[in-house]
Amino acid sequence: MKRTRPARGTFRRIFTAGFAADALVLAAGGLVAAAACGGRTPDMGQTGGTVAADAVRAEIERVTRRWEASLIAGAPGEAVADVFTPDAVRLPSGEPAVRGHDAIVRALAGSVPLREARFTIEDIEVDGNLAFANGTYRVRGPDDVGLEGKFLEVWKRLETGWRIHRVMWD
């Protein structure tokens, strides 16, 4: 099946002004009703000074599910602190960068609930307090219009757990 790229500005028409790019965030990354991220994981996946990639991936997946749930609920602004680092940068395709919690919350203002939001991490690499994840996303708006694409995320380990530090998608 041949996929055609939506016309520029389609995101805004589908999801409301400022939200288009957010619906595509990965867990950027990360977006469906699932477990909420409850803060710091007790051992943060550390074993003898090395980070266990499977433990890191599990926490990143939990945060991603939290993000998905917030998008489906139409309340992603309420999840920003649970998902992004305070100085996170979102890099929406064809739009200016969005820097920090306050700007991300403003960009998400007016978001409508999505019918579907799924971010699938295909690969993840961990290097100390940073993790690099890439994968695919699929979102569907209330009018059943769907978008699919790929994302790249840089995650950072904070005292509260792993959070998205940088994210970009197409």
Side-chain angles (χ1 to χ4, degrees), residues 15-20 22-23 70-71 73-77 105-114:
F15 301 111
T16 76
F19 178 63
D22 302 311
S70 73
L71 290 170
V105 169
R106 281 192 304 274
L108 294 167
S111 297
V112 297
L114 298 177

Side-chain angles (χ1 to χ4, degrees), residues 24 118-119 135-139 147-151 169-170:
L24 307 178
R118 185 66 181 167
F119 292 84
T136 59
Y137 66 85
R138 176 181 164 86
V139 295
L147 298 169
E148 297 178 357
K150 57 190 175 295
F151 65 85
W169 62 95
D170 72 354

Side-chain angles (χ1 to χ4, degrees), residues 32-122:
V32 151
C37 177
R40 181 177 171 88
T41 300
D43 74 357
M44 296 296 290
Q46 292 184 4
T47 314
T50 63
V51 178
D54 55 344
V56 172
R57 183 182 185 113
E59 183 173 351
I60 287 173
E61 292 281 359
R62 282 191 301 277
V63 175
T64 298
R65 301 294 80 84
R66 167 78 169 107
W67 184 242
E68 291 170 345
S70 73
L71 290 170
I72 288 173
E78 295 174 13
V80 168
D82 292 339
V83 176
F84 294 94
T85 63
D87 56 344
V89 178
R90 295 179 61 253
L91 301 161
S93 180
E95 297 182 27
V98 180
R99 299 176 182 277
H101 280 174
D102 292 342
I104 292 171
V105 169
R106 281 192 304 274
L108 294 167
S111 297
V112 297
L114 298 177
R115 293 176 52 109
E116 177 184 8
R118 185 66 181 167
F119 292 84
T120 304
I121 296 173
E122 295 175 356

